[in-house]
Amino acid sequence: MFLAPAILMLAVYLLYPLVDSFRLSLLDWNGLGSDARFVGLDNWKKLASDTLFWEAAWNNILLAVFSVLVQMPIALVLAVVLDNAGRGSRILKILYFLPLLMSSVALGVLFKYFYDVTFGPLNAILDFVGLGYLAQDWLGDTRLALGAVIAVVCWQYIPFYMVLFMAGLASFPAEISEAAKLDGASETTIFWKMKLPHLKGTIRTAVVLSVIGALRYFDLIYVMTGGGPEGASELMATYMYRNVFSSFQLGYGSTVASGMFIIVILIASVLLRFSKRYETEV
């Protein structure tokens, strides 16, 4: 009975839209009139051969890989440094956490200006320090747009994983650390031999959250590039959005959303199984 309100909310706002998106994927409909036409699996056949969708899916995978490779090490280092800094770390904790408190739309607008080829501070700084030859059209070049946005995404979410790791470090018993020091163990040894193994579960959770978040990412990409130029930074979510709200293909857009859901579930399941097996072996 106590769980009923939460279960009802989940059913209305999560389960029903999920099931309905699969239903809509069987229709040819613009989402506005009553002329929806049942087409069966035609949308799914189109999705299977849609190179734009699979290129967007590949961009999502690249975002997930770089999110893990960049965010996890930096967040862990910051967590360890702040955990050992004592009271003096309070201001630093606030400063490091600020990016996560900012709206993704605000960050998108800010960094769109930062990367601007003509008036952006980045190219101005490069020119000021004598590296003007490195100035680029960061968001207008098909080779650089995705990497430029990935850098911002990683910077925004590092504080989240930093806090997660700090919580894991805080749960490490202080008595064990003090006993190890009495036995002559250094801080480095305590970290590598005791604290890091203690964080295995936290790291696994952080990696899964990072991958799932990257696979369904939308807002910052949409604000900064809209998926351009020429689809170079297109993600599955932005591709779905364009099909539904720009091309008014609700049926096919729902197919993209359903395909995105299946891909996320499959990758998350494989990742969880692999991480559990690795943790067991270790």
Side-chain angles (χ1 to χ4, degrees):
M1 290 178 61
F2 286 112
L3 290 175
I7 293 174
L8 180 62
M9 291 287 288
L10 287 174
V12 172
Y13 293 105
L14 182 64
L15 184 59
Y16 171 74
L18 177 63
V19 174
D20 198 51
S21 68
F22 279 92
R23 180 187 67 84
L24 291 172
S25 71
L26 304 176
L27 305 177
D28 178 14
W29 186 33
N30 61 11
L32 299 176
S34 58
D35 57 342
R37 183 169 60 91
F38 180 79
V39 294
L41 297 177
D42 286 355
N43 284 331
W44 287 95
K45 293 176 182 177
K46 179 181 176 181
L47 184 70
S49 59
D50 190 345
T51 56
L52 294 178
F53 171 76
W54 293 111
E55 287 175 3
W58 175 247
N59 287 341
N60 273 106
I61 292 174
L62 289 177
L63 175 59
V65 170
F66 281 101
S67 293
V68 172
L69 294 180
V70 174
Q71 291 173 349
M72 299 302 115
I74 296 177
L76 184 58
V77 170
L78 289 176
V80 172
V81 170
L82 293 177
D83 185 62
N84 294 327
R87 293 184 178 181
S89 66
R90 291 180 180 178
I91 296 178
L92 292 177
K93 288 177 183 178
I94 295 173
L95 291 176
Y96 290 151
F97 196 70
L98 281 178
L100 194 62
L101 299 178
M102 297 180 66
S103 162
S104 293
V105 174
L107 281 179
V109 173
L110 175 65
F111 277 94
K112 191 173 182 178
Y113 167 72
F114 180 75
Y115 283 127
D116 188 87
V117 64
T118 305
F119 304 104
L122 179 56
N123 284 343
I125 292 171
L126 290 174
D127 186 60
F128 179 76
V129 298
L131 299 175
Y133 60 91
L134 294 178
Q136 303 286 339
D137 184 3
W138 300 99
L139 299 181
D141 192 325
T142 56
R143 301 168 300 172
L144 302 173
L146 183 63
V149 178
I150 287 176
V152 182
V153 174
C154 291
W155 175 78
Q156 181 186 11
Y157 284 96
I158 283 174
F160 174 79
Y161 300 106
M162 177 192 75
V163 171
L164 201 63
F165 292 144
M166 287 179 65
L169 290 171
S171 67
F172 184 78
E175 297 81 4
I176 296 179
S177 181
E178 292 172 0
K181 290 179 181 178
L182 289 175
D183 289 337
S186 64
E187 288 288 348
T188 304
T189 302
I190 292 173
F191 172 75
W192 287 107
K193 298 295 185 179
M194 297 179 179
K195 291 186 177 181
L196 190 59
H198 177 75
L199 289 174
K200 282 192 299 184
T202 305
I203 293 174
R204 184 182 69 184
T205 300
V207 169
V208 173
L209 289 175
S210 180
V211 171
I212 292 176
L215 291 176
R216 60 184 184 86
Y217 200 77
F218 171 77
D219 41 11
L220 200 64
I221 293 279
Y222 182 76
V223 173
M224 291 184 66
T225 66
E230 298 178 12
S233 62
E234 191 82 89
L235 300 181
M236 290 186 288
T238 58
Y239 187 58
M240 177 270 294
Y241 183 90
R242 287 199 300 108
N243 275 280
V244 174
F245 297 103
S246 297
S247 302
F248 295 101
Q249 297 178 1
L250 182 62
Y252 187 63
S254 298
T255 309
V256 174
S258 301
M260 175 179 163
F261 171 77
I262 293 172
I263 291 174
V264 171
I265 289 296
L266 289 175
I267 293 179
S269 300
V270 171
L271 187 62
L272 280 171
R273 180 176 292 272
F274 175 79
S275 62
K276 286 181 180 178
R277 180 180 299 177
Y278 174 78
E279 186 174 348
T280 302
E281 291 176 353
V282 173

